[in-house]
Amino acid sequence: MMLPKQTFFFLCLLADWSWANEAHRRATNETVEYMKFLETRTFFRKRQDNQRLIHSLEAKLKNANFSSGNVTLQTNNIQSLVFKLTCDFSGLTINSSYLEKAQTRHIMQFPTELTQRACKAREAPQELRLICIYFDMKYFFQDDDNSLLLNDNILGASLVNHSVSSLRQGINISFWHNESLERYDLTCVFWKEGAGKASWGAWSTAGCETILISSYQVLCHCDHLTYFAVLMKLSSTEISMELLAPLTYISIVGCSLSTVASLLTILLHFYSRRILGCFPRTFNLGIIEHSSPSLTFQPVACVAMAALLHYSLLSCLTWMAIEGFNLYLLLVRVYNIYIQRYILKLCAFGWGFPGFVVLLLLLWKSSAYGRYEIQIKTSQENDANSQNTSICWIKSMEIQWVFVMGYAGVTSLFNLVILIWAVKMLHGLHCREKKWESRICRDITTVLGLSVLLGVTWSLPFFSFSDFLLPQLFLSTIFNSLYGFFLFLWFCAQKRHSDLEAETSSSLQMIRTGLQSNHSPLRSPQPSSLTCSASPVPPYGTSHQEGGVEEDMAHPET
């Protein structure tokens, strides 16, 4: 049976339409998979390959076949849009709200003269194609200085087979940020291929004008098509390259000594426990400060590292406050200071409260942690030659002010008050004694030891302004990097003092036992320099019940 010509023709059209749709779907899926490949394999490639990869994506979008007026392809960090334009182009506005996976807000506005030059050409095409590519990651566009970009956003646009430049009306690109940008110097830039040394390009300001609409919005007005971004520089004083090298060496040496000293302190602590069968009653269990490594991990790993560093810092500060509270009990309350399960409660608070704070921040605003840029000024005076280094840390300045500076400020203020109180009591004790000049050296050592134990040196960063900046940088780096080493010296001094007291008490107990066994009349012994030189801060938190042996010897009638 022969099919009618109309039916056969209809089936042919249907097959051709189905084949065209299948080819379009296959090409679309291939492009999306390539975009996923770009965003998931970025950290395993060399920078020299970025130019080839970006141009490959542009070629795929250029040759894409689609029947509608535009097509949108999206992955987590890359969004691609292709528009069909004609010579009667009346302008176009692209809003990020149209993109489901856009992480930040932005708008691109194209003027009516965008297609005029292409349409005036001798061989003007009937159809023009505008390609827009948005990157929420700056890996493909890292320049030699590792510049800091607003939101890590790069917005690109190009007219296929046509160069667009020197526009009279210009292109408007608006960027928004969810935090105030007042502390930054913002500059609109575009990616200039071949201008970099180690990278395949560099950021340039030619042809772009920066307009700060508000503290949360930046408008870039540019006269050409390419990849655009907003360059950010801290308005505050930058760290110079000449200062960075010695500060880095001091940090490495100090943190290395502190790490070794902290391990020795832990080993000596457990060795003393095994030999003597007792715990030191005051032992700083805080985590020492670690130098933040400059990492370029994937976002999840960097967030985890930043949260871990924040937790370590808060734990260290919390245990310093606990040391101050323990000293308050010994100096101020003195009596009735017994607290049931005291050590267990201290451990729960010292390690649990910082963990609660960090977990709350992760649940409330996980974007607060991530890669934090630090600006470094080169030997040249031109700010444009500054370089950046990055660490995994807190990105939100509001959180830094509250949960870093505020937390450290309250802890330092509390411990400083306790230290002043201890020095006052020490001075009052000496005023009631004779020949107190012989104890000045030991008292200075005690005050310095308490200063380290209470973390007073952590208050130095609050003097990071004006003429205090340079000495503060070096003093803070030296003292805080050697924090673990100072704690080791304090532990050894207190351990030696405790052993001397234990030996003296044992000798007095033996003398008393011998005198009682011989039934000889008791005489008040001459006070020993060891037993009478009571420190205002009992080592390891000794309570007032101790020292009963000396009290009995001083009052034989009891």
Side-chain angles (χ1 to χ4, degrees):
M1 179 179 178
M2 299 294 293
L3 292 175
K5 292 183 179 180
Q6 294 82 357
T7 304
F8 179 78
F9 181 72
F10 174 76
L11 292 176
C12 291
L13 290 177
L14 182 61
D16 183 67
W17 178 80
S18 300
W19 179 85
N21 284 343
E22 178 63 22
H24 168 62
R25 186 182 63 83
R26 191 183 302 111
T28 301
N29 292 339
E30 181 182 350
T31 305
V32 172
E33 291 299 322
Y34 185 77
M35 293 164 57
K36 292 180 179 179
F37 167 77
L38 292 181
E39 67 179 7
T40 56
R41 300 299 181 95
T42 55
F43 299 97
F44 301 95
R45 288 192 295 264
K46 299 180 180 179
R47 286 189 178 185
Q48 292 77 2
D49 298 334
N50 292 338
Q51 182 178 16
R52 176 180 56 83
L53 296 172
I54 296 299
H55 289 172
S56 297
L57 176 60
E58 294 173 350
K60 290 180 180 297
L61 295 173
K62 171 185 175 182
N63 299 322
N65 295 319
F66 55 94
S67 56
S68 59
N70 59 77
V71 63
T72 302
L73 307 176
Q74 301 184 67
T75 59
N76 292 331
N77 296 304
I78 304 176
Q79 296 90 41
S80 301
L81 302 95
V82 183
F83 297 89
K84 289 182 177 180
L85 307 181
T86 58
C87 290
D88 57 349
F89 177 66
S90 59
L92 177 65
T93 299
I94 305 176
N95 197 322
S96 59
S97 60
Y98 302 149
L99 304 173
E100 298 178 358
K101 297 186 178 182
Q103 299 181 10
T104 55
R105 183 183 176 190
H106 49 76
I107 292 178
M108 294 189 74
Q109 297 175 321
F110 299 93
T112 56
E113 64 171 318
L114 182 67
T115 61
Q116 290 180 0
R117 185 175 301 176
C119 292
K120 290 180 180 179
R122 293 182 178 180
E123 299 178 357
Q126 296 181 354
E127 177 185 285
L128 299 173
R129 182 171 294 193
L130 176 67
I131 296 178
C132 299
I133 307 177
Y134 302 154
F135 292 90
D136 291 325
M137 50 194 300
K138 71 171 189 177
Y139 174 81
F140 294 100
F141 299 90
Q142 284 184 344
D143 59 358
D144 297 337
D145 298 330
N146 193 24
S147 299
L148 176 62
L149 303 181
L150 178 62
N151 299 325
D152 282 350
N153 282 163
I154 296 96
L155 309 184
S158 62
L159 198 62
V160 176
N161 297 329
H162 293 278
S163 175
V164 179
S165 60
S166 302
L167 295 174
R168 294 188 301 273
Q169 297 177 356
I171 302 168
N172 293 325
I173 309 107
S174 297
F175 297 83
W176 277 266
H177 195 59
N178 55 3
E179 297 177 5
S180 177
L181 299 170
E182 294 178 351
R183 59 188 296 264
Y184 293 97
D185 293 329
L186 305 174
T187 307
C188 294
V189 292
F190 76 96
W191 185 253
K192 186 177 182 180
E193 295 189 24
K197 296 180 180 178
S199 181
W200 64 287
W203 294 110
S204 174
T205 59
C208 288
E209 180 185 0
T210 305
I211 304 174
L212 188 62
I213 304 298
S214 67
S215 57
Y216 299 90
Q217 180 185 358
V218 183
L219 174 64
C220 296
H221 185 77
C222 301
D223 62 358
H224 56 284
L225 291 184
T226 182
Y227 291 96
F228 303 98
V230 176
L231 199 64
M232 303 174 64
K233 291 184 179 180
L234 289 172
S235 301
S236 57
T237 305
E238 304 168 346
I239 302 176
S240 66
M241 189 66 70
E242 290 77 9
L243 293 178
L244 181 64
L247 290 174
T248 301
Y249 293 141
I250 293 173
S251 299
I252 294 175
V253 174
C255 290
S256 299
L257 286 176
S258 294
T259 302
V260 175
S262 298
L263 293 176
L264 288 176
T265 303
I266 296 174
L267 293 177
L268 289 175
H269 167 68
F270 285 108
Y271 178 78
S272 302
R273 177 190 179 190
R274 183 174 65 88
I275 298 298
L276 302 177
C278 63
F279 280 103
R281 299 185 187 176
T282 320
F283 182 67
N284 191 291
L285 297 174
I287 302 176
I288 63 172
E289 181 190 18
H290 297 277
S291 60
S292 301
S294 178
L295 299 175
T296 54
F297 287 160
Q298 294 191 25
V300 176
C302 192
V303 169
M305 176 62 72
L308 179 61
L309 288 177
H310 190 205
Y311 171 77
S312 301
L313 175 63
L314 295 183
S315 297
C316 189
L317 294 172
T318 304
W319 277 101
M320 291 176 188
I322 289 175
E323 293 288 356
F325 174 73
N326 190 48
L327 195 60
Y328 161 80
L329 294 180
L330 296 174
L331 294 179
V332 182
R333 293 186 58 178
V334 182
Y335 297 100
N336 299 323
I337 61 174
Y338 173 75
I339 301 176
Q340 188 178 9
R341 297 181 179 178
Y342 184 56
I343 298 298
L344 180 61
K345 292 178 180 178
L346 290 183
C347 291
F349 181 77
W351 286 315
F353 181 72
F356 172 77
V357 172
V358 173
L359 182 61
L360 186 64
L361 290 176
L362 286 172
L363 295 176
W364 173 58
K365 191 177 182 181
S366 60
S367 60
Y369 295 105
R371 189 171 57 190
Y372 181 78
E373 303 286 346
I374 301 176
Q375 201 165 14
I376 302 171
K377 187 169 61 177
T378 60
S379 58
Q380 301 177 354
E381 295 296 330
N382 187 6
D383 288 340
N385 294 325
S386 59
Q387 298 180 355
N388 291 340
T389 185
S390 60
I391 62 173
C392 296
W393 185 232
I394 304 172
K395 297 191 298 183
S396 173
M397 292 306 301
E398 288 78 7
I399 294 179
Q400 285 196 39
W401 278 107
V402 176
F403 292 102
V404 176
M405 300 299 293
Y407 201 96
V410 173
T411 302
S412 300
L413 181 62
F414 172 73
N415 286 350
L416 188 60
V417 171
I418 296 297
L419 179 63
I420 295 175
W421 203 318
V423 173
K424 182 180 178 181
M425 293 187 64
L426 186 66
H427 181 266
L429 179 64
H430 292 340
C431 291
R432 296 191 296 270
E433 293 182 356
K434 297 179 180 180
K435 298 180 180 181
W436 58 272
E437 292 85 355
S438 60
R439 300 181 54 183
I440 292 180
C441 182
R442 187 177 62 181
D443 292 340
I444 292 177
T445 305
T446 300
V447 173
L448 292 178
L450 288 176
S451 301
V452 174
L453 194 66
L454 298 177
V456 176
T457 58
W458 288 63
S459 60
L460 289 173
F462 290 96
F463 297 93
S464 303
F465 56 86
S466 188
D467 296 334
F468 293 96
L469 178 62
L470 183 59
Q472 179 277 139
L473 280 175
F474 280 92
L475 290 177
S476 179
T477 303
I478 293 172
F479 287 125
N480 292 332
S481 63
L482 292 172
Y483 186 75
F485 178 71
F486 291 149
L487 287 181
F488 171 73
L489 296 180
W490 172 261
F491 176 83
C492 293
Q494 293 296 88
K495 182 69 172 58
R496 179 177 178 274
H497 186 65
S498 179
D499 292 342
L500 289 175
E501 282 195 341
E503 182 179 350
T504 304
S505 300
S506 177
S507 300
L508 290 174
Q509 182 67 29
M510 293 177 62
I511 294 173
R512 180 184 179 188
T513 303
L515 291 175
Q516 290 178 350
S517 63
N518 293 330
H519 302 284
S520 60
L522 296 176
R523 294 182 298 121
S524 297
Q526 294 296 328
S528 169
S529 62
L530 289 176
T531 58
C532 293
S533 61
S535 172
V537 184
Y540 301 119
T542 43
S543 63
H544 0 280
Q545 286 80 7
E546 297 178 1
V549 175
E550 294 86 336
E551 202 173 313
D552 291 343
M553 293 297 292
H555 301 83
E557 65 274 12
T558 60

